[in-house]
Amino acid sequence: MKIGSNIGQIRTAQKIEKSFIAQELNISVEEYEAIESDERDITLSMLDAIARLLSLDVADLITLNKPVTGIRNFFFNHNGNSGINIHVQGIDQEKIRMAYKELYQEELNRIPRLEKLLRDNNIEFNF
């Protein structure tokens, strides 16, 4: 079974850099490339970590028939419904972070404008 080539196909389809996966796994890029080229044996815990980084189940990596693209959300709950991690594939995470920052800044700027509008129209408000 060639799990490494499956990992490589999925990573490429998701446009994720080898260096990102290697960094997250705390291994060198060369070691990661050896995994993708099936030159290095992979432990179950390493396979699980890679699957999580690619937002897949381990079974998806093993039984892959074609590259997976698009968005898939996986929720990993390890603390009695109080902790949730969402992994999104196929979208540049830095773009998502920037969009949230811009949205947050817009909301911060909106509050003073709303307060001014209320004052200008003699509408009472209490916060």
Side-chain angles (χ1 to χ4, degrees), residues 24-40:
E24 292 295 311
L25 297 174
N26 202 25
I27 61 174
S28 70
V29 174
E30 292 77 19
E31 289 174 296
Y32 179 73
E33 287 173 340
I35 291 171
E36 279 195 8
S37 64
D38 292 305
E39 296 171 3
R40 176 181 172 187

Side-chain angles (χ1 to χ4, degrees), residues 28-92:
S28 70
V29 174
E30 292 77 19
E31 289 174 296
Y32 179 73
E33 287 173 340
I35 291 171
E36 279 195 8
S37 64
D38 292 305
E39 296 171 3
R40 176 181 172 187
D41 288 334
I42 185 169
T43 65
L44 186 54
S45 62
M46 181 73 74
L47 185 61
D48 183 55
I50 292 170
R52 285 176 183 260
L53 288 169
L54 298 173
S55 299
L56 297 171
D57 290 325
V58 171
D60 291 331
L61 292 177
I62 295 170
T63 62
L64 178 70
N65 293 323
K66 61 182 179 179
V68 178
T69 59
I71 297 174
R72 293 178 72 180
N73 290 323
F74 280 81
F75 301 89
F76 300 103
N77 188 335
H78 299 286
N79 197 14
N81 290 330
S82 65
I84 297 175
N85 293 321
I86 301 172
H87 299 277
V88 181
Q89 72 185 34
I91 297 176
D92 183 353

Side-chain angles (χ1 to χ4, degrees), residues 83-121:
I84 297 175
N85 293 321
I86 301 172
H87 299 277
V88 181
Q89 72 185 34
I91 297 176
D92 183 353
Q93 296 297 308
E94 187 57 34
K95 286 182 182 177
I96 291 172
R97 280 193 275 289
M98 291 302 297
Y100 274 115
K101 286 179 183 177
E102 289 173 15
L103 181 61
Y104 178 71
Q105 191 58 48
E106 278 182 31
E107 288 299 309
L108 289 178
N109 293 336
R110 189 172 83 146
I111 293 169
R113 290 193 310 260
L114 290 172
E115 288 176 348
K116 182 182 182 317
L117 182 63
L118 290 170
R119 274 192 295 278
D120 291 347
N121 289 291

